[in-house]
């Protein structure tokens, strides 16, 4: 029986890939990629000629079982996404779950993912955090934000630049305009930027300055927001 390798790929700078990831991608029999055109750029840079097939959210339902069948027949398969770690707001969960159900070994390599550098750079507490991923676009969006109002831990949200101002405005309305947050943009790329402030400040800034690129929003948790600066100083 073969194995499934979950292989993170760079979220920006292609040099962020690990030596182990390169080794696995060269040695497996097949690479499943979210977008073969995007992944071909990475593979070409590192002279990796392994066979490539598409595996994305539009075909994963129909393809997962056949991939597992091939792994059971002895094929070693690597799964990659356009950027970051498969399964984190990218295809991967369904295949990993089916492999686990069939007792196929799943080996996940450590490596790049956008939310970790965003969290650490935000200046907000990192000891407890909740990954919200992409919020619902329509149905359930308001309920999710209302639930987030009482969330004690730092919250992490992925967002499109086209919806950033709307999302920040809705968060300010649901959580309060003074709640602290950070917007991290273009992580590990040439124009990487982290902007910190209250939700109200960030709404104003990005209303006047149209954002571009991949975006991570990091929002202060309720526990920290409810504590006064004086009480925090006394505890320290």
């Amino acid at each position: 029986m073969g194995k499934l390798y979950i292989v993170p790929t760079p979220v920006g700078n292609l040099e962020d890939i690990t030596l182990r990831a390169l080794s696995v991608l060269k040695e497996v029999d097949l690479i499943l990629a979210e977008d073969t055109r995007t992944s071909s750029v990475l593979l070409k840079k590192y002279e990796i000629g392994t066979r490539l097939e598409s595996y994305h959210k539009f075909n994963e339902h129909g393809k997962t079982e056949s991939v597992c069948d091939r792994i059971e027949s002895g094929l070693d398969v690597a799964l990659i996404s356009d950027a970051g770690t498969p399964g984190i707001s990218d295809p991967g969960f369904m295949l990993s779950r089916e492999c686990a159900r069939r007792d196929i070994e799943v080996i996940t390599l450590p490596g790049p993912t956008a939310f970790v550098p965003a969290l650490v750079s935000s200046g907000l507490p990192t000891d407890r955090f909740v990954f919200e991923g992409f919020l619902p676009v329509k149905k359930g969006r308001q309920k999710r934000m209302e639930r987030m109002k009482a969330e004690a831990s730092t919250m992490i949200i992925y967002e499109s630049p086209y919806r950033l101002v709307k999302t920040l405005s809705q968060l300010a309305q649901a959580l309060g305009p003074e709640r602290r947050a950070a917007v991290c943009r273009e992580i590990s790329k040439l124009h990487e930027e982290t902007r910190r402030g209250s939700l109200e400040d960030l709404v104003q800034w990005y209303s006047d300055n149209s954002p571009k690129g991949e975006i991570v929003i990091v929002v202060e948790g309720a526990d920290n927001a409810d504590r006064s600066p004086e009480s925090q100083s006394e505890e320290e």
Side-chain angles (χ1 to χ4, degrees):
M1 182 182 289
K3 298 175 183 177
L4 172 67
Y5 292 88
I6 307 290
V7 182
T9 53
V11 297
N13 193 318
L14 294 184
E15 293 182 1
D16 288 340
I17 196 162
T18 67
L19 294 175
R20 185 183 176 203
L22 293 175
S23 178
V24 168
L25 293 176
K26 289 177 181 177
E27 293 172 1
V28 294
D29 303 297
L30 173 67
I31 298 173
L32 299 176
E34 186 177 6
D35 186 324
T36 55
R37 294 165 300 179
T38 300
S39 297
S40 291
V41 175
L42 174 70
L43 300 181
K44 183 177 180 180
K45 175 178 175 63
Y46 291 105
E47 300 179 346
I48 297 172
T50 307
R51 186 159 59 93
L52 199 60
E53 286 185 15
S54 66
Y55 183 87
H56 47 71
K57 64 180 181 180
F58 300 110
N59 70 5
E60 62 179 337
H61 286 83
K63 200 164 184 175
T64 293
E65 294 226 1
S66 65
V67 170
C68 290
D69 290 342
R70 284 189 277 176
I71 296 174
E72 286 183 330
S73 71
L75 217 64
D76 284 330
V77 175
L79 175 66
I80 61 177
S81 61
D82 289 349
T85 301
I88 305 298
S89 291
D90 281 325
F93 163 69
M94 192 174 294
L95 182 56
S96 179
R97 178 180 63 182
E98 182 62 15
C99 284
R101 189 185 71 80
R102 296 195 191 193
D103 289 326
I104 295 171
E105 186 173 2
V106 178
I107 300 172
T108 301
L109 278 61
T113 189
F115 76 77
V116 173
L119 172 64
V120 175
S121 297
S122 71
L124 296 172
T126 59
D127 55 334
R128 292 183 300 162
F129 60 90
V130 175
F131 178 68
E132 295 285 350
F134 286 98
L135 299 177
V137 176
K138 294 181 180 179
K139 187 177 180 181
R141 185 177 177 88
Q142 195 60 43
K143 285 186 177 179
R144 177 82 72 87
M145 288 191 178
E146 286 299 322
R147 178 180 60 78
M148 290 168 64
K149 182 177 182 179
E151 174 57 56
S153 304
T154 301
M155 294 162 281
I156 302 165
I157 302 163
Y158 284 175
E159 192 49 278
S160 156
Y162 309 108
R163 289 195 300 265
L164 177 62
V165 172
K166 178 182 178 181
T167 297
L168 290 171
S169 298
Q170 290 175 330
L171 286 169
Q173 185 175 6
L175 279 59
E178 296 305 314
R179 185 75 69 95
R180 291 188 303 160
V183 172
C184 303
R185 191 175 63 82
E186 293 288 80
I187 292 170
S188 189
K189 296 180 182 177
L190 180 62
H191 300 292
E192 180 174 356
E193 174 190 66
T194 298
R195 185 160 294 277
R196 308 170 186 86
S198 69
L199 286 169
E200 184 177 44
D201 292 339
L202 293 171
V203 168
Q204 184 62 53
W205 172 263
Y206 287 107
S207 295
D208 297 338
N209 301 272
S210 297
K212 295 180 180 179
E214 301 295 327
I215 288 170
V216 183
I217 306 170
V218 186
V219 184
E220 180 181 36
D223 273 8
N224 203 61
D226 291 342
R227 293 162 62 199
S228 67
E230 291 79 9
S231 66
Q232 291 183 43
S233 299
E234 289 173 5
E235 289 181 17
E236 292 170 358

